[in-house]
């Protein structure tokens, strides 16, 4: 038992140089493929373009959602940083709207991302949920609480519903690329229903 505990606490070994290069190439190719073809892009094509076999891709990323989580990690960090900045904004309701708009912009960059986030929202064991959905939900909870405490947003609004609504707006935007104002209109409409009376 003591041996298992010691092993569980041992930090992972750093990657060899060639493994690190493969990992970085896979991330770069996946980012390109997800941008151009959506999040359902062929994993075999991503591996081939990275110059590795599909087995190497799966050694680094056991499934598609793990790869998606790794690809989006930098953008998630930027969204979390943005939430920290907005937590100090003088108008809490506008801060929440601005942050949700940033999420719509991020999700709209990759066709299929909003649908994947909606699908994994109830599965906290999913890599995509753990790496993207849960951190965003926690950050959003703080912004929502500020907006509610200011009296601008109804007290019965919960962040899980708001995140699903935001992903639905991102999905609508994805399906309507010729309507650049759609996200702002839908967010404004949503917040009309969220406002405290």
């Amino acid at each position: 038992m003591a041996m298992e505990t010691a092993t569980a606490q041992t930090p992972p070994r750093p990657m060899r140089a060639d493994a690190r290069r493969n990992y970085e190439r896979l991330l770069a190719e996946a980012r390109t493929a997800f941008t151009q073809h959506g999040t359902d892009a062929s994993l075999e094509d991503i591996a081939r373009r990275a110059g590795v076999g599909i087995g190497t891709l799966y050694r680094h990323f056991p499934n598609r959602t793990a790869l998606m989580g790794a690809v989006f990690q930098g953008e998630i960090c930027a969204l979390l940083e943005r939430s920290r900045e907005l937590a100090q904004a003088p108008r809490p309701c506008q801060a929440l709207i601005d942050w949700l708009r940033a999420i719509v912009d991020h999700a709209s960059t990759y066709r299929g991302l909003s649908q994947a986030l909606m699908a994994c929202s109830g599965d906290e064991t999913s890599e995509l949920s753990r790496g993207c959905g849960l951190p965003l939900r926690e950050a959003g909870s703080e912004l929502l609480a500020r907006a509610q405490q200011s009296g601008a947003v109804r007290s019965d609004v919960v962040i899980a519903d708001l995140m699903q609504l935001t992903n639905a707006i991102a999905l609508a935007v994805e399906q309507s690329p010729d309507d650049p104002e759609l996200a702002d209109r839908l967010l404004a409409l949503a917040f009309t229903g969220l406002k405290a009376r």
Side-chain angles (χ1 to χ4, degrees), residues 35-165:
T35 301
Q36 293 175 348
H37 308 291
T39 56
D40 59 351
S42 165
L43 297 183
E44 288 81 6
D45 284 348
I46 291 170
R48 184 177 44 77
R49 290 172 195 246
V52 300
I54 191 67
T56 299
L57 183 146
Y58 282 121
R59 271 193 298 283
H60 287 291
F61 310 102
N63 53 47
R64 181 179 298 276
T65 57
L67 178 58
M68 289 167 61
V71 166
F72 306 138
Q73 194 57 51
E75 290 149 319
I76 296 304
C77 289
L79 285 168
L80 296 175
E81 178 59 32
R82 181 74 178 128
S83 76
R84 287 188 284 276
E85 292 168 6
L86 288 168
Q88 307 304 317
R91 295 172 48 214
C93 186
Q94 187 59 51
L96 179 61
I97 294 169
D98 290 347
W99 188 70
L100 294 175
R101 181 63 165 102
I103 291 176
V104 169
D105 289 343
H106 163 64
S108 300
T109 304
Y110 302 98
R111 191 175 70 247
L113 176 57
S114 53
Q115 187 171 357
L117 287 169
M118 289 173 78
C120 79
S121 68
D123 179 9
E124 294 186 3
T125 63
S126 156
E127 288 91 346
L128 190 58
S129 182
R130 282 196 319 263
C132 298
L134 291 175
L136 291 179
R137 197 176 310 155
E138 289 171 11
S141 291
E142 295 176 24
L143 293 172
L144 174 59
R146 279 189 77 227
Q148 289 170 323
Q149 290 163 2
S150 75
V153 174
R154 292 176 8 205
S155 61
D156 63 338
V157 175
V158 296
I159 194 61
D161 292 345
L162 196 51
M163 295 301 290
Q164 285 289 70
L165 181 61

